[in-house]
């Protein structure tokens, strides 16, 4: 019998190391023997010792497994030291058999990376990371302000002051004016109702009735404390907006920008939590296109794109790769020549969640190409599938606009309806030929339908 030829793996990175990142220590492997594995701490001095260890073994490429936020400081330290660092996904390294240990993990990472079986994850540039950090901090502050508003409403309900029923938003102009007056000592419902904005639909008498409560000293103390905390958080949000503006100005000045002074950019209605930064102008300076032209793309959507992707969108050579990174493309699993699953994988990508939220509001529109696309998918596969498909469509549109420097040009609805009519007629003709239906049968059938 002929001996089977052993499979020869081609070495891609001969001078490589694998690092198993942990919360209390890091395991580093520069080879497959036990004496080529070493344990390091997490302090800055330990990072320097690791760098010296890697340089002694003439390492040029390093792969580390993505583990929460523990890798970030080490990743930057290795990059500054001149190593080519690749951050790999944890699911790509879970193939080792037998007892699982930290030593085996780092050796397995080093072996897979040496033969080129591990792909690096997408990592934004330092400029994008700065904006991302500030934007996520801002979102956390917004969540905190929402929790404080809910507690303020609960505190007022305990005193039977139903301001939450009288107005829609306690954080708006009317709500804050009335709460401030209560904190300052006003108890007369008629005088509190005068503070309402003219846009409030409730009458003066109705508001006064809702603002007559059973005053309690302890609840009033809690209300004052919560109101001060809410005002403090809102001030922190404004300061964060200013810090983000300074970062954007530095990035745009250093990297160059498109002139937006003479361009009529699309403006959309702002909400209470909208950034004080001119997001529309900033995005045009960043990308050279007006992303607000797309249906259901709000300032929050564009801000999420700037913070989570930034100019690193050009790292994706095709729209398919961009959509795949967003986890909006079907994950086809094949076995035996058949697709056994095509479910879209779950993700915690912030921009993906923003696109899904934007797609979920498309049904509020009256017209538009994306609305017809959403309705078509929802009719066939349900609303959930329509949200995913529309979010993917929006991602492709955004990638094409930015990378190709082209404005948003949706399909003309008259042409869209004409093509749809032509496809329907083509399907009907195929069905007539397949069923061998002649003209007389069609006339008789139409007459019967008209008679019924």
């Amino acid at each position: 019998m002929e001996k089977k030829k052993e499979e020869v793996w081609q070495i891609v990175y001969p001078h490589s190391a694998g690092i198993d990142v942990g919360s209390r220590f890091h395991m580093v492997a520069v080879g497959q023997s036990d004496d080529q594995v070493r344990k390091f701490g997490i302090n800055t001095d330990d990072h320097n010792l690791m760098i010296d260890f890697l340089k002694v073994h003439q390492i040029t490429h390093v792969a580390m497994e993505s583990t929460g936020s523990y890798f970030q400081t080490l990743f930057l330290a290795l990059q500054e030291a001149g190593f080519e660092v690749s951050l790999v996904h944890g699911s790509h390294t879970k193939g080792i058999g037998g007892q699982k240990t930290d030593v085996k993990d780092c050796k397995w990472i080093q072996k897979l990376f040496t033969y080129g079986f591990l792909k690096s994850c997408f990592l934004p540039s330092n400029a994008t990371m700065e904006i991302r950090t500030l934007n996520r901090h801002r979102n956390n502050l917004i969540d905190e302000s929402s929790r404080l508003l809910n507690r303020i409403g609960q505190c007022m309900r305990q005193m039977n002051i139903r301001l939450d029923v009288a107005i829609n938003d306690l954080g708006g102009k009317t709500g804050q004016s009335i709460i401030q007056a209560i904190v300052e000592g006003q108890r007369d419902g008629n005088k509190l109702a005068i503070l309402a904005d003219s846009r409030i639909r409730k009458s003066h008498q109705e508001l006064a009735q809702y603002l007559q409560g059973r005053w309690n000293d302890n609840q009033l103390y809690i209300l004052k404390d919560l109101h001060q905390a809410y005002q403090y958080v809102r001030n922190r949000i404004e300061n964060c907006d200013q810090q983000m503006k300074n970062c954007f100005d530095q990035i745009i000045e250093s990297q160059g920008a498109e002139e937006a002074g003479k361009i009529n950019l699309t403006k959309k209605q702002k909400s209470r939590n909208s950034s004080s930064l001119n997001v529309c102008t900033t995005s045009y300076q960043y990308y050279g296109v007006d992303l607000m032209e797309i249906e259901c793309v709000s300032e929050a959507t564009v801000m999420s794109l700037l913070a989570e992707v930034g100019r690193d969108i050009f790292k994706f050579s095709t729209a398919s790769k961009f959509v795949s990174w967003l986890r909006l493309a079907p994950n086809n699993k094949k076995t035996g020549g058949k697709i056994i699953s095509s479910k879209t994988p779950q993700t915690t990508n912030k921009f993906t969640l923003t696109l899904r939220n934007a797609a979920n509001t498309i049904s509020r529109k009256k017209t538009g190409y994306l609305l017809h696309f959403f309705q078509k998918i929802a009719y066939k596969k349900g609303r959930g599938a329509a949200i995913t498909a529309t979010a993917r469509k929006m991602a492709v549109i955004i990638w094409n606009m930015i990378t190709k420097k082209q404005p948003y040009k949706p399909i003309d609805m008259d042409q869209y309806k004409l093509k749809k009519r032509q496809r329907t007629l083509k399907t009907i003709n195929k069905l007539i030929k397949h069923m061998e239906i002649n003209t007389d049968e069609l006339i008789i059938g139409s007459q019967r339908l008209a008679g019924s």
Side-chain angles (χ1 to χ4, degrees):
M1 295 177 64
E2 295 183 359
K3 293 183 178 181
K4 294 183 179 179
K5 294 182 179 181
E6 295 183 358
E7 184 179 1
V8 179
W9 290 1
Q10 183 180 0
I11 296 178
V12 179
Y13 303 112
H15 304 284
S16 62
I19 303 178
D20 183 26
V21 180
S23 60
R24 298 181 181 273
F25 59 86
H26 307 313
M27 297 299 297
V28 183
V30 295
Q32 291 301 301
S33 60
D34 291 341
D35 60 346
Q36 292 177 313
V37 179
R38 188 170 171 183
K39 179 179 178 181
F40 292 92
I42 58 176
N43 300 323
T44 303
D45 293 337
D46 298 320
H47 290 174
N48 295 331
L49 291 175
M50 184 191 299
I51 291 172
D52 295 336
F53 174 74
L54 294 174
K55 288 183 177 180
V56 168
H57 288 82
Q58 299 180 351
I59 298 299
T60 57
H61 294 74
V62 179
M64 61 172 60
E65 183 181 351
S66 172
T67 309
S69 60
Y70 301 123
F71 75 92
Q72 294 179 354
T73 54
L74 178 60
F75 186 92
L76 294 175
L78 293 174
Q79 272 193 334
E80 292 175 356
F83 296 100
E84 292 289 335
V85 190
S86 297
L87 183 69
V88 299
H89 200 279
S91 62
H92 298 168
T93 61
K94 296 181 186 240
I96 186 169
Q99 185 178 4
K100 185 180 184 301
T101 63
D102 296 325
V103 175
K104 288 184 178 181
D105 283 347
C106 65
K107 290 169 65 176
W108 182 245
I109 294 171
Q110 192 271 340
K111 186 174 183 179
L112 292 177
F113 186 63
T114 300
Y115 294 106
F117 291 125
L118 297 178
K119 294 182 180 180
S120 178
C121 299
F122 167 79
L123 286 174
S125 61
N126 293 334
T128 305
M129 278 298 297
E130 292 180 1
I131 300 298
R132 174 186 287 189
T133 303
L134 289 173
N135 187 62
R136 291 186 178 183
H137 173 62
R138 184 182 187 276
N139 291 334
N140 291 333
L141 290 176
I142 291 175
D143 293 339
E144 181 63 26
S145 67
S146 299
R147 286 191 289 269
L148 288 171
L149 272 184
N150 291 335
R151 295 177 62 188
I152 288 173
Q154 182 181 7
C155 178
M156 298 182 74
R157 285 194 298 272
Q158 294 294 327
M159 296 184 290
N160 202 31
I161 303 172
R162 301 312 306 272
L163 185 60
D164 57 334
V165 179
I167 60 177
N168 294 327
D169 187 10
L170 294 179
K173 180 180 177 181
T174 298
Q176 288 300 297
S177 299
I178 294 176
I179 294 173
Q180 182 65 34
I182 294 174
V183 169
E184 292 175 354
Q186 183 59 254
R187 302 291 181 264
D188 190 348
N190 291 314
K191 293 182 179 180
L192 291 173
I194 297 175
L195 301 175
D197 190 84
S198 58
R199 293 171 294 179
I200 299 298
R201 295 182 179 180
K202 293 286 191 303
S203 65
H204 179 85
Q205 291 77 12
E206 289 178 312
L207 286 174
Q209 290 177 356
Y210 283 121
L211 296 174
Q212 295 290 350
R214 299 172 61 88
W215 306 103
N216 181 278
D217 292 338
N218 291 331
Q219 294 293 342
L220 288 171
Y221 163 75
I222 296 173
L223 177 63
K224 180 179 179 181
D225 197 39
L226 292 174
H227 181 64
Q228 290 177 351
Y230 177 77
Q231 294 296 329
Y232 175 79
V233 173
R234 297 306 301 183
N235 290 333
R236 299 280 70 76
I237 293 175
E238 293 179 3
N239 294 341
C240 186
D241 288 341
Q242 183 60 42
Q243 184 67 21
M244 290 177 63
K245 183 179 183 303
N246 296 336
C247 288
F248 274 121
D249 292 341
Q250 293 177 2
I251 296 171
I252 292 172
E253 183 179 357
S254 62
Q255 298 182 1
E258 298 285 344
E259 293 293 336
K262 299 180 180 179
I263 304 297
N264 293 325
L265 301 177
T266 306
K267 295 182 180 180
K268 294 185 178 180
Q269 185 178 2
K270 290 190 175 185
S271 63
R272 172 165 49 87
N273 293 326
S274 297
S275 175
S276 58
L277 178 72
N278 194 334
V279 178
C280 187
T281 303
T282 303
S283 65
Y284 185 84
Q285 292 175 330
Y286 243 58
Y287 301 122
V289 291
D290 186 8
L291 297 175
M292 302 288 284
E293 292 180 339
I294 308 173
E295 300 101 305
C296 288
V297 169
S298 61
E299 287 194 357
T301 310
V302 177
M303 191 67 234
S304 179
L305 174 65
L306 292 171
E308 299 298 327
V309 185
R311 291 190 175 182
D312 297 316
I313 192 174
F314 294 100
K315 292 182 179 180
F316 301 99
S317 57
T318 63
S320 299
K321 292 182 178 180
F322 181 54
V323 170
S324 178
W325 174 72
L326 292 173
R327 298 292 189 272
L328 290 173
N331 184 22
N332 293 330
K333 296 181 181 179
K334 294 183 179 180
T335 180
K338 296 181 180 179
I339 298 178
I340 59 175
S341 174
S342 59
K343 186 178 179 180
T344 304
Q346 295 182 352
T347 181
T348 57
N349 189 305
K350 304 291 184 182
F351 184 55
T352 303
L353 298 178
T354 304
L355 286 177
R356 287 183 179 274
N357 291 334
N360 192 32
T361 62
I362 197 73
S363 57
R364 300 178 185 175
K365 297 290 181 180
K366 296 182 180 180
T367 57
Y369 166 68
L370 289 178
L371 174 62
H372 285 271
F373 178 81
F374 181 89
Q375 292 174 341
K376 180 178 68 175
I377 302 298
Y379 178 78
K380 293 180 179 179
K381 300 182 179 180
R383 187 179 183 86
I387 291 174
T388 301
T390 307
R392 180 193 178 280
K393 177 74 71 174
M394 294 170 65
V396 172
I397 292 172
I398 290 172
W399 185 89
N400 285 322
M401 290 180 64
I402 294 174
T403 57
K404 299 178 182 180
K405 298 292 183 181
Q406 62 184 19
Y408 177 55
K409 295 181 179 179
I411 298 176
D412 184 75
M413 292 310 302
D414 294 334
Q415 295 180 358
Y416 176 78
K417 292 178 180 179
L418 179 61
K419 289 182 179 180
K420 184 178 180 181
R421 178 182 176 84
Q422 291 175 350
R423 287 196 301 267
T424 304
L425 290 175
K426 188 176 180 180
T427 303
I428 293 174
N429 289 329
K430 286 184 178 180
L431 184 61
I432 290 174
K433 291 181 180 180
H434 177 71
M435 300 295 294
E436 297 181 354
I437 301 174
N438 54 41
T439 307
D440 295 335
E441 290 176 331
L442 287 175
I443 295 174
I444 295 172
S446 61
Q447 290 176 351
R448 288 178 179 177
L449 289 174
S452 61

